């Protein structure tokens, strides 16, 4: 199996390889409940992020574009899983490293992710109209 060599592939495979390496590099004692919680959040949501990215397929783009409406898999319940899962990963890193400055990044990240999701919603409504509005009403968020 040959891996695609595109920006989308880079955005999928590089974090999946380097984030576990980062966790292992800094895996020094003590392993208290916060470090376990952080590692669990990072690992679980990195897997979910990778699955969401793979389910998005060729519809993935850095900027909001309407190539195809993906409504299956994780996208059948969550409209913007990549934004949500990446934010939880940042929270997991804050717990893992026990540093408040990483958690404070969420003060910047969450509004940016919200803005990106809103912009993406507008693009998808323009492109898919009623089909997208129906889909939006069937998802959790």
């Amino acid at each position: 199996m040959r891996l695609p060599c595109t920006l989308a592939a880079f955005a999928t495979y590089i974090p999946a390889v380097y984030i576990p390496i980062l966790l292992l590099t800094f895996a020094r004692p003590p392993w208290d409940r916060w470090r376990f919680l952080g590692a669990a959040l990072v690992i679980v949501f990195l897997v979910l992020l990778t699955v969401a990215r793979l389910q998005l397929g060729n519809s993935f783009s850095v900027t909001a574009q309407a190539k195809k409406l993906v409504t299956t898999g994780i996208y059948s319940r969550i409209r913007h899983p990549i934004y949500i899962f990446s934010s939880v990963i940042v929270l997991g890193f804050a717990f893992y490293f026990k540093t408040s400055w990483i958690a404070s990044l969420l003060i910047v990240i969450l509004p940016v992710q919200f803005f990106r999701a809103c912009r993406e919603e507008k693009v998808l409504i323009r492109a898919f109209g009623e089909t997208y509005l129906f889909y939006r009403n069937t998802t959790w968020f």
Side-chain angles (χ1 to χ4, degrees):
M1 179 175 159
R2 184 168 179 231
L3 297 177
C5 198
T6 63
L7 179 59
F10 178 79
T12 302
Y13 304 120
I14 296 300
V17 171
Y18 285 104
I19 289 176
I21 290 171
L22 180 67
L23 290 177
L24 290 173
T25 300
F26 293 98
R28 295 185 181 88
W31 273 85
D32 60 7
R33 64 180 168 211
W34 293 109
R35 181 162 279 182
F36 276 114
L37 175 62
L41 286 173
V42 170
I43 291 166
V44 167
F45 282 89
L46 179 61
V47 168
L48 289 171
L49 177 76
T50 302
V51 169
R53 176 36 212 110
L54 292 173
Q55 289 176 349
L56 198 53
N58 291 332
S59 295
F60 176 82
S61 65
V62 177
T63 59
Q65 298 177 19
K67 298 177 183 177
K68 176 185 166 194
L69 184 58
V70 178
T71 60
T72 58
I74 292 171
Y75 289 86
S76 69
R77 294 289 170 230
I78 303 173
R79 290 190 308 274
H80 305 287
I82 291 176
Y83 301 148
I84 294 166
F85 298 162
S86 60
S87 298
V88 175
I89 289 170
V90 172
L91 181 64
F93 274 122
F95 289 146
Y96 183 85
F97 291 113
K98 295 183 216 163
T99 56
S100 58
W101 72 266
I102 294 176
S104 67
L105 289 175
L106 289 171
I107 295 169
V108 174
I109 292 170
L110 291 175
V112 168
Q113 298 292 45
F114 180 77
F115 173 76
R116 291 178 69 195
C118 289
R119 187 174 49 194
E120 189 174 293
E121 296 257 332
K122 290 176 186 174
V123 169
L124 293 169
I125 290 170
R126 270 196 307 270
F128 302 109
E130 290 297 320
T131 303
Y132 182 77
L133 293 173
F134 176 78
Y135 161 70
R136 185 173 73 179
N137 290 333
T138 63
T139 58
W140 295 330
F141 49 88

